[in-house]
Amino acid sequence: MELEEDNKKLTLWEAVSMAVGVMIGASIFSIFGVGAQIAGKDLPETFVLSGIYALLVAYSYTKLGSKIISDAGPIAFIHKAIGDNIITGALSILLWLSYVISISLFAKGFAGYFLPLIGAQINSFNYALAEIGIVAFFTALNFFGSKAVGKAEFFIVLTKLTILGLFIFAGLLTLHISYLVPDTSISGIEGMLFASAIFFLSYMGFGVITNASEHIKDPNKNVPRAIYLSIFLVMFVYVGVAISAIGNLPIDELIKASENALAVAAKPFLGDLGFLLISIGALFSISSAMNATIYGGANVAYSLAKDGELPKFFERKVWFKSTEGLYITSSLGVLFALLFNMEGVASITSAVFMVIYLFVILSHYLLVDEVGGRKEIIIFSFLVVLGVFMLLLYYQWEVHRIVFYGIILTFAFVIAFEAVYRKITKRKFSILH
């Protein structure tokens, strides 16, 4: 019986595939042009820098994740360190909402690539149909359990990486080295730092591994391995894509291409076929991100509900048999996609993840004697991530003032909601049993 249950769990490479599916999601395709505009020729270096930020956060995730096995992921770490309080509750709600909003972003991104590819008319009805369809498909897939998700994710990611690998390989054969000379001016370095704060968000997906840790084989060993493997693999892909794109298309043209920058960058060395391949790669990329995010988000919703944070409605039936948590997470994702422009909300969600990362690192410091690790590395990681967070806020203050205010209001609203909700329900938040 135990062997049968173990066979249903995710292997190391299935867990890696899930994290890679989230990380190499819509961002590498949809905001690549924005990154080029901010970082210019320094975009490859930007991806290395943001990858280093991710590795610093991962240090705490691996130490905590190998000792604290829970689908609540980072919230379990924070709860273990600082206990049951308003901050823990507010962060748990923010984490779940970030998954809900991510689902809606992926749905909108998929529709934007899918409809032109099949020659469908671009209108609100077709957009809504595509958004509902893609979320419904992966919700149904998740209903069959973690093993089905892992297998589907493995093949989706394999296809996506094959296409991006072809882009990188072909691009490296036709590089214009002069296009790749870094901009070492003050403005160039400043642009690289701003862009690194934004593209740091592209590495966020490794956290989905801890959200699924209860469904991974031998989590004590495989959770840390999966986290580091996924980050290094994604960093290699990001840097390779950036070098091939910038090395084949003048930076001004890459910036003009905006949302389909990678598809346009593929034309000089792969022609129209390259444009088509990258478009297909975008669809696979967004699909895999959707797959992993619905799985991770539903797991968070269920785990937190089971332990007394979200309404009892979520825990009415058994997980992976007929869970309302999965359906509600997906349904709200569709609702956000249909009703709202998600660009500003996505930026707020990114800031939410950064705050959660800071609390995870703080939790690691408080639990270091129990879970292991070096305090000087933890302190250094906290200061770096705090600096990146402040850089992100400064950038949004300068460029997107409304988003800056949105972040402040979001945190204030969730904390107020948590305080009132606790007072009314008198429910305790207990993740660890």
Side-chain angles (χ1 to χ4, degrees), residues 198-246:
I198 294 170
F199 275 104
F200 172 46
L201 313 176
S202 299
Y203 289 90
M204 280 183 173
F206 69 81
V208 78
I209 292 171
T210 59
N211 292 133
S213 61
E214 291 181 15
H215 302 282
I216 295 175
K217 290 180 181 179
D218 195 6
N220 291 333
K221 290 182 179 179
N222 285 334
V223 166
R225 289 174 181 173
I227 288 174
Y228 283 126
L229 281 170
S230 62
I231 291 175
F232 279 115
L233 181 58
V234 167
M235 192 189 303
F236 175 81
V237 173
Y238 282 166
V239 173
V241 166
I243 290 173
S244 290
I246 292 176

Side-chain angles (χ1 to χ4, degrees), residues 101-365:
I101 297 169
S102 294
I103 290 167
S104 65
L105 285 170
F106 294 141
K108 296 184 83 69
F110 183 91
Y113 276 98
F114 180 70
L115 295 178
L117 191 64
I118 65 172
Q121 189 176 352
I122 306 299
N123 56 45
S124 299
F125 177 78
N126 285 342
Y127 257 91
L129 203 61
E131 290 164 359
I132 293 171
I134 189 65
V135 175
F137 174 79
F138 283 109
T139 300
L141 182 66
N142 275 261
F143 176 76
F144 291 104
S146 58
K147 192 65 179 177
V149 174
K151 284 188 176 298
E153 192 66 22
F154 182 81
F155 289 111
I156 291 172
V157 172
L158 185 63
T159 302
K160 175 174 56 179
L161 291 181
T162 300
I163 292 173
L164 288 176
L166 176 62
F167 176 90
I168 294 169
F169 178 74
L172 292 177
L173 297 177
T174 58
L175 287 179
H176 297 272
I177 302 301
S178 60
Y179 293 173
L180 292 167
V181 177
D183 183 357
T184 56
S185 65
I186 297 297
S187 61
I189 294 173
E190 187 180 66
M192 180 180 69
L193 289 173
F194 281 140
S196 72
I198 294 170
F199 275 104
F200 172 46
L201 313 176
S202 299
Y203 289 90
M204 280 183 173
F206 69 81
V208 78
I209 292 171
T210 59
N211 292 133
S213 61
E214 291 181 15
H215 302 282
I216 295 175
K217 290 180 181 179
D218 195 6
N220 291 333
K221 290 182 179 179
N222 285 334
V223 166
R225 289 174 181 173
I227 288 174
Y228 283 126
L229 281 170
S230 62
I231 291 175
F232 279 115
L233 181 58
V234 167
M235 192 189 303
F236 175 81
V237 173
Y238 282 166
V239 173
V241 166
I243 290 173
S244 290
I246 292 176
N248 282 279
L249 199 66
I251 193 67
D252 292 340
E253 291 185 37
L254 200 60
I255 292 170
K256 286 178 187 176
S258 186
E259 293 182 1
N260 63 339
L262 284 186
V264 173
K267 277 193 169 183
F269 54 92
L270 289 175
D272 291 336
L273 177 61
F275 190 93
L276 177 64
L277 276 176
I278 293 301
S279 297
I280 293 173
L283 291 177
F284 270 103
S285 179
I286 295 168
S287 295
S288 63
M290 171 77 76
N291 185 17
T293 303
I294 287 179
Y295 177 57
N299 263 338
V300 169
Y302 169 73
S303 189
L304 297 182
K306 180 181 64 175
D307 298 311
E309 184 51 31
L310 296 175
K312 289 181 179 179
F313 179 67
F314 280 85
E315 56 176 344
R316 190 173 296 168
K317 295 183 181 179
V318 180
W319 176 236
F320 281 147
K321 289 186 179 177
S322 183
T323 171
E324 279 84 356
L326 173 63
Y327 301 146
I328 294 174
T329 300
S330 298
S331 298
L332 285 177
V334 169
L335 190 63
F336 272 98
L338 295 177
L339 297 180
F340 300 106
N341 179 330
M342 300 305 296
E343 291 181 12
V345 184
S347 297
I348 295 171
T349 306
S350 299
V352 167
F353 266 109
M354 203 86 76
V355 169
I356 290 171
Y357 284 163
L358 286 169
F359 273 95
V360 167
I361 297 171
L362 175 63
S363 299
H364 186 194
Y365 182 83

